[in-house]
Amino acid sequence: MTKAEKIAFTINTLQELYPTIPVPLDHKDPYTLLVAVLLSAQCTDVRVNQITPILFAKADNPFDMIKMSVEEIKEIIRPCGLSPMKSKGIHGLSHILIDKYNGEVPKEIELLEELPAVGHKTASVVVSQAFGIPAFPVDTHIHRLMYRWGLTNGKNVAQTEKDAKRIFPKELWNDLHLQIIWYGREYSPARGWNLENDIITKTIGRKTVIEDYYKTKKTR
């Protein structure tokens, strides 16, 4: 298989498996998505979706959020982990959104990255999922799968994002990053991985990854 054929196979397989793509984090607008993505750092989407309804019942916009204290926010979001940092970030970015953007979430990645506790991945998720602007947020699933598939060298997340943007058509970025996340969770997890169920890796995967899988399986 040529690299172009591998890329085409990956795109076609993902589109067949996920013709409609659910967004993992529940939200109703750019602000609630921004907060949900911030909360998802080192926390499962399932847990975040359990906590955000409680938080958003009290404050689902920056104007109401700043009426709460950092301590009040921290108590609500504690189950998500890293609550001291996240609560300060949510409170701080809400103030900035009001002071600089009239309470609206900016559409530019660079402006989002200036907000407290908002990194490149969070900013990329918001612009892609809230505003439909092409971006390719790379999480651990995408980083792992791109390496397994031989589409990046696995050096770091930044390199994986560059490679993904280089090899995949820009108009597919927003769908593909979600499709790869769902595929990673369902067919190619980090733990309990069964290559026989992972059609993409089995078909186009890096030779060393496949060899290591079978070696490990034999020693069990």
Side-chain angles (χ1 to χ4, degrees), residues 6 33 45 53 75 80 83 130 137 194 200:
K6 289 181 178 181
L33 176 62
D45 293 343
E75 285 304 309
C80 292
S83 57
N194 184 346
I200 297 179

Side-chain angles (χ1 to χ4, degrees), residues 135-155:
F136 212 108
V138 173
D139 72 348
T140 55
H141 295 291
I142 295 175
H143 186 53
R144 181 180 70 252
L145 267 60
M146 289 283 288
Y147 177 78
R148 279 184 177 174
W149 297 342
L151 301 179
T152 189
N153 61 19
K155 185 177 180 181

Side-chain angles (χ1 to χ4, degrees), residues 99-117:
D99 294 341
K100 292 185 67 175
Y101 304 107
N102 197 31
E104 299 294 322
V105 176
K107 297 181 180 181
E108 295 80 10
I109 287 181
E110 297 77 15
L111 297 180
L112 286 166
E113 289 177 338
E114 293 175 358
L115 299 173

